[in-house]
Amino acid sequence: MVGRLDRDASRADPTRTMTIIDGVAASPPPPGTLDAPADAFAMLRDALAAAKFDEPTVSARLGVTSLYDVKRLADGRTTLASAPEDANAVLVRLFIDSETLPTAVVERLLGSDVLAALDALGLVAPAPGVDASLSATAMLYPTQGLWLASDRQPMRAADLALLPQDYVFSALSSLTAQYLDVLPDAPGRRVLELCAGTGVAAVRAVRRGAAEAWATDIAPRCVEFIRFNARLNDVADRVRAVESDAWSALGGETFDLVVAHPPYVPALSHRFDFRDGGADGEQVARRLVEDLAAHVRPGGRFVMRAAISDRRGAAIATRVREWLGTGGDAFDMVVLENGVYGPMEAYKAVTKGGKDFVDLEQWLRHFDALGVEGFAVCFVEMRRDAAGRAALTERRVAGRPPDARAIDWVFRWARRVASMGATAEARLGGQRPRVAPGARLAVHLESDASGAWSNVGAAVETAWPTHNVVKAPPLAPTLLELCDGTRDVTAILAGLREAGLVSEDVTRADVAHLVEVLAAAGAVELPDCPIPAAEKA
């Protein structure tokens, strides 16, 4: 039986998101981990499940499609705003909204044993200045089939500047969702999450079958939250939390899958561990890649979401491969852009809208001195299986929200092109292409002096698996109709000739080249390189 809450005890107030010391916030204590009783975690898990404190249920009650970037009551949300009438509402109000609730209401709706478990785990405490009331000491929320804890969000915009340097950022962020969407599962494998924060990727990995997962962060408070989250989700025996500056504490450990969502905001001085990535925003990402070869096993993968810059004379993919050093020849690499912006947009993001012309000029000169031409938020995946052949590098642009299957298709396509012949004609031998679902065709018409219209070309656009626009000749509509899965290149050429759209000078090689360009864009699908079905928008 866990201990009962001593409502009359005099104690420091752990519900405050920050304590001010010389104008900067000191770190609030994380929830209890090493000394917290196991039965308190078990009781809390049972209570959360019984209250249906899961993402589908809570999202439905709050009137949102997901909890990512969900508004709190303090931010203007109007749903679930009345006095709590059930356990689910109490949990939302305490741990997502960070609201103060009467102790009697919490005890009546959650039960005295659950309240005692929350106290034993350090998740609630008497609210300062409000008699007989409780506040949460941390956020607690359902996401990815897990329950996670992180630091409470500040209740006022003015408090953002007072957050501690080692603030543990919430996993309920659309940026975290994008990162998690591209991570493959690793059943039976050994996983490492770098710059782990809450440890969401590591904990999810073992929940989805990984043999074990390590989670590292430079901030000791993040490490404590990771340990807490592992215990809360009953996977502490397979999740190891380690305080480490990049690879510094990992020695010779190797892994089948390494994932990272490092800080990538350019910063001339370091303020937040979760955000600041050095003068160019790439300092942490670069260090992760530089030592990758020592820690990724043969056949293993590395997946990272970060912002990286194109520099004068050095594109992103070239620069990242250079970071790998001499061990880079063993890695194939895909860089998938998911948003581009210039130095001016980067400045506005860094300064939250901009300060003054002097500050602007300083930053723009800084970016120019680095040779920055533009930034891109990228998903970078590397696979260590290029031994015995030339390593592949592919850079694409994301269309619809990407996931691990989209990146996997880019790898499969690149390897197909590299291994199945020297020409498009050879690579398409025996293939019967078909138009992929979702491909869009725009026919370009041009008027002449008489007002008559003629077809002068077409554009074929795809948004999945990646975004592409292919400029095509006038015959494109008929060619795409002929790509119905029953014809090979020879039959497609015959159909174009029968339609009077090509002369005898057009060869099988010409048609194969155009079909392969469309296939590379995902507009046409080949049987030996199927395109995964896109999720519904």
Side-chain angles (χ1 to χ4, degrees), residues 253-274:
E253 298 290 342
T254 60
F255 302 88
D256 300 294
L257 173 64
V258 177
V259 302
H261 192 192
Y264 54 74
V265 174
L268 299 181
S269 61
H270 189 83
R271 178 64 183 87
F272 293 120
D273 294 338
F274 73 85

Side-chain angles (χ1 to χ4, degrees), residues 4 13 74 90 162 176 217 262 279 296 328 369 375 384 398 402 405 505 523 532:
R4 297 297 298 271
D13 171 26
V90 166
L162 300 176
T176 303
D217 203 284
V296 174
F375 295 87
R384 190 170 193 164
R405 301 170 308 132
D505 295 336

Side-chain angles (χ1 to χ4, degrees), residues 4 113 204 224 234 292 381 422 427 460 517 527:
R4 297 297 298 271
D113 287 345
R204 190 185 75 165
E224 290 302 309
D234 201 22
L292 200 61
E381 180 167 336
R427 291 188 289 268
V460 181
V517 168

Side-chain angles (χ1 to χ4, degrees), residues 43-339:
M43 182 168 291
L44 179 56
R45 280 194 300 273
D46 290 344
L48 295 175
K52 295 186 177 180
F53 194 58
D54 55 70
E55 189 166 15
T57 301
V58 175
S59 296
R61 297 195 76 180
L62 298 183
V64 295
T65 56
S66 83
L67 294 182
Y68 289 115
D69 297 319
V70 66
K71 287 184 176 181
R72 302 168 299 172
L73 287 178
D75 302 321
R77 195 190 76 236
T78 57
T79 52
L80 210 63
S82 58
E85 297 181 352
D86 54 53
N88 182 279
V90 166
L91 295 168
V92 170
R93 296 289 290 277
L94 274 177
F95 294 112
I96 294 179
D97 290 329
S98 298
E99 297 285 326
T100 296
L101 292 178
T103 303
V105 171
V106 176
E107 186 169 17
R108 175 170 58 85
L109 295 177
L110 292 184
S112 57
D113 287 345
V114 175
L115 178 55
L118 291 172
D119 180 58
L121 296 174
L123 286 170
V124 295
V130 184
D131 293 340
S133 295
L134 292 175
S135 294
T137 63
M139 286 187 71
L140 178 66
Y141 42 86
T143 184
Q144 298 289 321
L146 311 168
W147 294 297
L148 295 179
S150 57
D151 272 330
R152 284 168 38 123
Q153 294 178 334
M155 298 301 287
R156 301 176 304 164
D159 291 337
L160 290 172
L162 300 176
L163 293 177
Q165 176 180 319
D166 58 357
Y167 178 78
V168 182
F169 198 77
S170 168
L172 285 187
S173 160
S174 58
L175 304 182
T176 303
Q178 293 172 18
Y179 160 63
L180 294 171
D181 281 348
V182 301
L183 302 186
D185 293 334
R189 303 291 185 172
R190 197 173 196 230
V191 177
L192 167 65
E193 182 182 16
L194 297 160
C195 308
T198 62
V200 56
V203 175
R204 190 185 75 165
V206 296
R207 267 293 184 84
R208 294 186 176 186
E212 67 169 319
W214 289 39
T216 75
D217 203 284
I218 192 173
R221 294 188 66 255
C222 285
V223 175
E224 290 302 309
F225 269 96
I226 294 166
R227 289 176 179 149
F228 182 91
N229 289 331
R231 293 191 70 185
L232 178 58
N233 289 280
D234 201 22
V235 293
D237 59 331
R238 290 187 289 153
V239 175
R240 181 171 179 177
V242 179
E243 181 184 341
S244 182
D245 183 3
W247 305 97
S248 63
L250 293 177
E253 298 290 342
T254 60
F255 302 88
D256 300 294
L257 173 64
V258 177
V259 302
H261 192 192
Y264 54 74
V265 174
L268 299 181
S269 61
H270 189 83
R271 178 64 183 87
F272 293 120
D273 294 338
F274 73 85
R275 185 196 70 180
D276 298 338
D280 59 0
E282 299 174 1
Q283 177 179 310
V284 180
R286 183 164 52 248
R287 290 181 59 200
L288 301 185
V289 174
E290 284 174 344
D291 289 337
L292 200 61
H295 299 279
V296 174
R297 296 171 174 175
R301 300 184 184 186
F302 170 71
V303 186
M304 174 177 70
R305 182 187 185 275
I308 308 174
S309 59
D310 285 306
R311 307 282 178 96
R312 286 190 290 271
I316 289 172
T318 301
R319 298 183 61 239
V320 175
R321 186 163 286 286
E322 288 174 351
W323 296 348
L324 279 168
T326 55
D329 291 345
F331 290 87
D332 292 331
M333 180 171 68
V334 167
V335 175
L336 187 63
E337 294 179 10
N338 194 41

Side-chain angles (χ1 to χ4, degrees), residues 431-454:
Q431 296 295 302
R432 288 175 169 77
R434 72 177 187 92
V435 173
R440 295 185 175 185
L441 173 68
V443 176
H444 297 161
L445 303 178
E446 183 176 277
S447 62
D448 59 20
S450 68
W453 294 89
S454 59

Side-chain angles (χ1 to χ4, degrees), residues 356-445:
D356 54 45
F357 287 114
V358 174
D359 187 63
L360 170 61
E361 183 177 16
Q362 178 188 11
W363 273 100
L364 293 185
R365 286 183 180 274
H366 169 67
F367 289 140
D368 184 66
L370 294 172
V372 172
E373 293 182 336
F375 295 87
V377 176
C378 299
F379 302 109
V380 178
E381 180 167 336
M382 302 183 192
R383 299 186 178 183
R384 190 170 193 164
D385 50 14
R389 59 170 173 79
L392 304 173
T393 301
E394 193 88 1
R395 180 176 178 177
R396 297 288 191 106
V397 176
R400 300 179 67 168
D403 59 25
R405 301 170 308 132
I407 296 177
D408 182 68
W409 180 85
V410 177
F411 273 104
R412 288 189 286 111
W413 177 262
R415 289 170 184 168
R416 183 189 189 283
V417 172
S419 64
M420 296 192 67
T423 66
E425 185 176 8
R427 291 188 289 268
L428 292 183
Q431 296 295 302
R432 288 175 169 77
R434 72 177 187 92
V435 173
R440 295 185 175 185
L441 173 68
V443 176
H444 297 161
L445 303 178

